[in-house]
Amino acid sequence: MNSSNPVAVKFSQAATTYKQHDVLQRITAEKLLSKAALKGSLIDIGCGPGTDFTAYGQDITKVTAVDLSEQMLAVVNQSFPSYLTMCADAANLPLSQQQFDGLYSNLVLQWCGDLTAVFNEFHRVLKPKATCLISIVTSGSLPELETLGLGHNAFRTVEQITAAIDSQYWQVDSVNECSESLYFNDLRTMLYSIKGVGASVKSHQENLHSCSSDKSGSHTNRTGLEKVSLRGRKDWLALKQHAETMRQVEGIPLTYQITYLQLTKI
């Protein structure tokens, strides 16, 4: 595991549970893969536990799966033994120029610091006319957490994302932003869905398990969700009651703004 990178640490910790919580990732993957045909050699950036590209049949001849987390790549090796795996940063790929016919990246680039550097690196490793299919979490996501008084990661606007794409390098075929809502039976399940895929909530809560079951008021932060000011079971119950006011027929919602990009290398 890349212990110097906090994103790698969080996703490595989530490697064994990721597929239990990746509902959003599956929704966005389905939409992303319906946007354009991929063929030839493909690089999957931030692959997580791996993407199933079998729907493309023999059109895709080789898949190189890249992730910061070695634990995630170990899952890929088990599930997709034909894929090549590589532990690397999206902005610094240890690859030669013009290797790939296509690039796929699902819900990853929101964690990258310098998007311009990332897009430039993508341009370097792709062949001319290569297709990029990208989804990214954008500003306006997780309003329910704000309603509950729980902070979360800040996300870029669509304008900030597109500003990082150099028009000399890329043809922007489409930019589509839409809302994707997930629904949960209870607050704890909703919050664990974020932690379960390696993401962070900058929140006011302690250990969810402790707050929901430990009456002593002594809590440890085992979830990876950052501490704030829940002092005991009473505060946790009040937060749950607040969450119930948001309940819809399908359950308690958690809403993401997702931007889907299709690019062609010039």
Side-chain angles (χ1 to χ4, degrees):
M1 176 172 60
N2 186 351
S3 59
S4 64
N5 188 304
V7 175
V9 170
K10 289 181 181 297
F11 282 92
S12 292
Q13 292 169 344
T16 58
T17 61
Y18 191 94
K19 288 188 177 181
Q20 300 172 30
H21 301 279
D22 66 345
V23 177
L24 178 66
Q25 284 77 2
R26 283 182 271 123
I27 291 171
T28 55
E30 182 177 357
K31 290 189 175 182
L32 203 58
L33 291 171
S34 68
K35 289 180 68 65
L38 295 170
K39 60 183 179 180
S41 57
L42 178 69
I43 184 168
D44 182 356
I45 298 290
C47 61
T51 306
D52 188 352
F53 295 107
T54 55
Y56 287 98
Q58 296 181 347
D59 288 342
I60 294 179
T61 57
K62 181 177 71 173
V63 176
T64 299
V66 178
D67 203 277
L68 277 174
S69 166
E70 292 178 356
Q71 282 77 3
M72 286 291 189
L73 294 174
V75 178
V76 177
N77 286 329
Q78 292 176 353
S79 302
F80 304 98
S82 66
Y83 291 6
L84 300 176
T85 56
M86 178 178 297
C87 188
D89 191 313
N92 186 24
L93 298 170
L95 295 163
S96 58
Q97 298 181 17
Q98 301 188 11
Q99 286 198 41
F100 301 98
D101 300 295
L103 182 146
Y104 172 91
S105 182
N106 184 27
L107 300 186
V108 173
L109 299 193
Q110 66 270 9
W111 308 121
C112 296
D114 187 343
L115 269 190
T116 299
V118 170
F119 283 119
N120 289 348
E121 186 70 344
F122 289 176
H123 186 273
R124 186 184 67 81
V125 301
L126 291 175
K127 298 176 184 178
K129 305 300 182 181
T131 296
C132 283
L133 298 181
I134 296 167
S135 67
I136 182 169
V137 181
T138 43
S139 178
S141 294
L142 308 176
E144 296 85 359
L145 295 185
E146 295 179 12
T147 299
L148 292 171
L150 305 177
H152 58 79
N153 299 89
F155 300 108
R156 295 177 178 88
T157 64
V158 177
E159 292 74 20
Q160 288 171 324
I161 293 167
T162 55
I165 303 171
D166 193 328
S167 60
Q168 295 182 3
Y169 289 167
W170 300 102
Q171 173 183 305
V172 180
D173 301 311
S174 64
V175 180
N176 299 307
E177 184 183 24
C178 65
S179 295
E180 304 287 0
S181 293
L182 310 180
Y183 297 91
F184 301 90
N185 291 332
D186 53 53
L187 176 63
R188 183 171 64 171
T189 305
M190 181 184 82
L191 295 177
Y192 267 115
S193 76
I194 302 170
K195 184 233 175 190
V197 294
S200 295
V201 178
K202 294 179 181 177
S203 69
H204 297 285
Q205 81 240 26
E206 303 265 356
N207 181 347
L208 301 179
H209 177 74
S210 296
C211 288
S212 60
S213 61
D214 184 355
K215 299 180 181 180
S216 69
S218 176
H219 311 305
T220 57
N221 184 23
R222 302 190 201 103
T223 64
L225 304 177
E226 297 181 22
K227 293 183 180 180
V228 280
S229 61
L230 284 187
R231 292 183 292 273
R233 182 173 175 80
K234 183 178 179 180
D235 285 358
W236 171 248
L237 292 177
L239 191 65
K240 289 207 301 181
Q241 289 175 356
H242 193 179
E244 287 299 320
T245 67
M246 300 188 299
R247 183 178 290 278
Q248 300 178 14
V249 173
E250 302 93 333
I252 299 174
L254 187 62
T255 306
Y256 292 83
Q257 292 297 118
I258 307 296
T259 295
Y260 297 92
L261 300 169
Q262 181 178 337
L263 310 175
T264 300
K265 175 179 172 175
I266 295 175

